Amino acid sequence: MRLKNMALIATSIAAIVACASSPKKTETAQPKALVIYYSQSNATRTVAQEIQKQLNCDIAEIECVEPYSGDFMQTIQRWQSEQKDSVLPEIKPLNCNISNYDIIFLGYPIWGGNYALPMASFLKNTDFAGKKLVPFCTFGSGGLNTSVAELQKNAQNAQILDGYGIRQARIANAPTEVGRFLVKLGLKEGEVECLPGFSEQEKVSDSQKEIFQQACGDYQMPLGNPITVGLRPIKGGTEYLYTVEGQNGMKSQIYVLAKDGEKPEFTQVVR
């Protein structure tokens, strides 16, 4: 993917919602929403329940006939085996009828840069014709953009709306971020901060390298070396958009929040 295109995709799905205003009250009936999710470690469940709480809508969980082990390595090994053999896990029927809903939120953890295989099973056997789909996900570093692209290929009869993603390490921020996200979608009244665009990418200074290191240095996998950076002011601090080069020469982008008096943290990687 070209860097310019990647930046556009990244900006549209950033965890910090850019600019939206409160929807006007009308006599038009609100669309009926349903939250459907698969959760492996409770992180996605936390986000799903927050959406359900804020919208007061219905919710349903995808469950496997043969559940994945809670052990991280065993789950990875089973996922790798299923991927190799092109096998999808069998899932239990949902206790809801999606034809009764206008908007369906689809939640999943990111596995290998894509939605988890139980969600793939659900998508394969479900007709979303005429529905609006809202993807949301949890991840270690990123994957919202890649999973949404895959969803668009596998649910072509549906309208895919903007998605929301959050790192598992930042799950405590979900209530606030979900609220902003729902306002942006026009499903909840309220206002969110209107943010300017990022400045042009420029060579990273020593102080900006230090901010990157504070945010990313303790992540369990190397995220690469920052080359250039753009920034924009946010309430109580600054948001950085780093262009990073990995050991294989591949470039990615990393969003970092640096709030006054707090340790900088990265919100997502866009590869």
Side-chain angles (χ1 to χ4, degrees):
M1 179 182 294
R2 293 181 178 177
L3 188 58
K4 182 181 292 186
N5 291 339
M6 187 164 61
L8 291 173
I9 294 173
T11 301
S12 70
I13 62 175
I16 301 298
V17 177
C19 183
S21 59
S22 174
K24 296 179 180 180
K25 291 184 178 180
T26 67
E27 298 300 321
T28 304
Q30 281 288 95
K32 192 171 183 181
L34 170 67
V35 178
I36 298 176
Y37 73 96
Y38 171 76
S39 187
Q40 173 69 8
S41 63
N42 290 324
T44 307
R45 179 179 292 109
T46 297
V47 180
Q49 291 176 341
E50 188 61 40
I51 295 172
Q52 188 272 336
K53 175 183 175 182
Q54 294 197 30
L55 291 182
N56 190 28
C57 64
D58 294 335
I59 190 169
E61 181 177 6
I62 295 172
E63 297 181 274
C64 293
V65 172
E66 181 184 349
Y68 288 82
S69 166
D71 179 86
F72 178 76
M73 288 308 302
Q74 290 182 10
T75 297
I76 291 296
Q77 290 169 0
R78 175 177 166 183
W79 167 75
Q80 290 175 333
S81 176
E82 290 172 333
Q83 285 280 88
K84 179 181 178 182
D85 297 334
S86 299
V87 173
L88 292 177
E90 184 181 358
I91 60 175
K92 299 178 181 179
L94 293 184
N95 58 350
C96 61
N97 185 349
I98 67 169
S99 65
N100 296 331
Y101 301 89
D102 307 299
I103 297 179
I104 299 173
F105 289 79
L106 294 177
Y108 46 85
I110 295 295
W111 291 0
N114 204 347
Y115 41 72
L117 291 184
M119 178 58 70
S121 294
F122 176 70
L123 294 173
K124 182 178 180 180
N125 297 294
T126 306
D127 182 7
F128 294 106
K131 304 299 180 184
K132 294 181 178 179
L133 303 184
V134 183
F136 66 95
C137 60
T138 58
F139 44 74
S141 61
L144 175 60
N145 60 316
T146 50
S147 65
V148 170
E150 189 69 17
L151 178 62
Q152 290 171 334
K153 290 193 298 184
N154 290 302
Q156 296 183 6
N157 293 328
Q159 179 183 354
I160 313 297
L161 304 184
D162 287 344
Y164 168 73
I166 186 169
R167 291 182 61 218
Q168 294 182 17
R170 301 185 63 254
I171 202 69
N173 295 282
T176 299
E177 292 186 1
V178 164
R180 292 171 180 163
F181 179 63
L182 295 177
V183 170
K184 181 185 177 185
L185 288 178
L187 296 177
K188 180 179 177 180
E189 293 185 11
E191 296 182 353
V192 294
E193 180 183 6
C194 185
L195 298 176
F198 286 95
S199 64
E200 292 293 328
Q201 291 279 309
E202 297 182 354
K203 185 178 179 180
V204 177
S205 67
D206 289 341
S207 62
Q208 291 166 342
K209 287 181 181 179
E210 177 60 27
I211 290 171
F212 180 87
Q213 182 63 25
Q214 291 177 28
C216 305
D218 57 357
Y219 189 66
Q220 62 264 40
M221 297 178 64
L223 295 174
N225 298 312
I227 304 170
T228 60
V229 64
L231 61 148
R232 64 182 176 186
I234 59 172
K235 185 176 181 180
T238 304
E239 184 178 17
Y240 296 83
L241 177 56
Y242 289 90
T243 298
V244 176
E245 185 173 31
Q247 294 178 347
N248 56 3
M250 296 293 292
K251 289 184 173 64
S252 61
Q253 293 188 308
I254 298 181
Y255 288 83
V256 170
L257 289 179
K259 293 187 176 180
D260 299 338
E262 299 180 14
K263 180 180 178 292
E265 58 179 0
F266 80 90
T267 56
Q268 67 169 325
V269 179
V270 178
R271 297 181 173 89

